[in-house]
Amino acid sequence: MSVQLWTWILVGITFALYFGIAIWARAGSTKEFYVAGGGVSPLANGMATAADWMSAASFISMAGIISFAGYDGSVYLMGWTGGYVLLALLLAPYLRKFGKFTVPDFIGDRYYSNTARTVAVICALIVSFTYVAGQMRGVGIVFSQFLQVDITTGVIIGMAVVLVFAFLGGMKGITYTQVAQYCVLIFAFMVPAIFISIQMTGNIIPQIGMGGRVEDGTYLLEKLD
């Protein structure tokens, strides 16, 4: 079979897996739709959050900006990594404890202010649209390469897939599809990282290899810059 046919088969299996998870985890109540019923384990939540971080923005765009900008491009990586940590430590626990479904609801009730709620809504919309635009562009590029369609068609396919399983499972379905995505992405990240580290520095652990020297005696970070 041709590479293109294998690509269609693998993409089809992935879609079937996501739709299967959405049907299995379909929401049966408002609480399940918005906050997955509060029954998702910390491990699964962590995997889902990591998958969100390792999405098109980092998997495609971050590789591109480091490739073009060199070592200076890694500043962007540290920026939104730090943002995720701050969000997880300073906001998420209190949002969960407060029992609200959205950040604007939490801020509005916490500060007893409809003005604060409105500002939070506007900020959430701006951030969401900006992030989704980048994500959908990444989806369109990936589908255009693998499915041999134009970028616009790729974006439409990606949006349709997300729309279907979001409607079926809500936050519960999205969380578990993110867990599946995490397993795929962490494998796709780690395999090349491990083998590049072995080939260039002899270390099987990439984090150690990053501080090591290559065959000509220079540090790997200097070589990569």
Side-chain angles (χ1 to χ4, degrees):
M1 289 190 292
S2 66
V3 174
Q4 186 62 33
L5 182 58
W6 274 111
T7 301
W8 279 93
I9 291 172
L10 291 173
V11 171
I13 291 172
T14 304
F15 282 1
L17 173 64
Y18 283 175
F19 286 132
I21 292 173
I23 294 171
W24 166 74
R26 60 186 180 276
S29 66
T30 303
K31 189 176 181 181
E32 285 187 347
F33 191 86
Y34 284 110
V35 292
V40 179
S41 69
L43 178 61
N45 263 322
M47 294 170 73
T49 304
D52 214 11
W53 184 93
M54 293 187 296
S55 53
S58 52
F59 202 77
I60 299 174
S61 304
M62 183 49 61
I65 196 170
I66 292 177
S67 177
F68 280 107
Y71 193 69
D72 292 338
S74 62
V75 173
Y76 293 91
L77 176 66
M78 297 308 298
W80 82 61
T81 301
Y84 258 117
V85 173
L86 290 175
L87 179 66
L89 292 177
L90 302 181
L91 184 59
Y94 304 100
L95 182 65
R96 181 185 179 95
K97 183 179 180 181
F98 214 71
K100 294 297 180 180
F101 291 144
T102 66
V103 172
D105 282 342
F106 165 69
I107 291 177
D109 286 4
R110 176 65 180 79
Y111 294 102
Y112 311 103
S113 171
N114 285 328
T115 302
R117 188 194 306 269
T118 303
V119 171
V121 168
I122 294 172
C123 291
L125 288 174
I126 293 173
V127 170
S128 297
F129 276 116
T130 304
Y131 186 72
V132 169
Q135 293 289 76
M136 287 296 103
R137 178 69 178 181
V139 168
I141 291 173
V142 170
F143 281 153
S144 68
Q145 294 294 317
F146 286 106
L147 302 181
Q148 299 300 305
V149 297
D150 60 87
I151 294 177
T152 302
T153 303
V155 171
I156 293 172
I157 293 172
M159 291 178 67
V161 171
V162 172
L163 189 67
V164 170
F165 74 69
F167 277 173
L168 281 174
M171 190 62 185
K172 186 177 180 182
I174 289 172
T175 299
Y176 285 110
T177 52
Q178 289 284 77
V179 170
Q181 180 179 322
Y182 169 84
C183 296
V184 173
L185 286 175
I186 198 68
F187 182 80
F189 263 120
M190 292 308 299
V191 168
I194 289 171
F195 279 93
I196 289 172
S197 180
I198 292 173
Q199 288 183 350
M200 297 190 71
T201 67
N203 289 302
I204 193 172
I205 302 175
Q207 289 84 350
I208 296 176
M210 286 292 287
R213 296 176 182 267
V214 293
E215 292 180 356
D216 61 5
T218 60
Y219 283 105
L220 176 61
L221 286 175
E222 295 178 4
K223 192 83 170 179
L224 292 176
D225 191 12

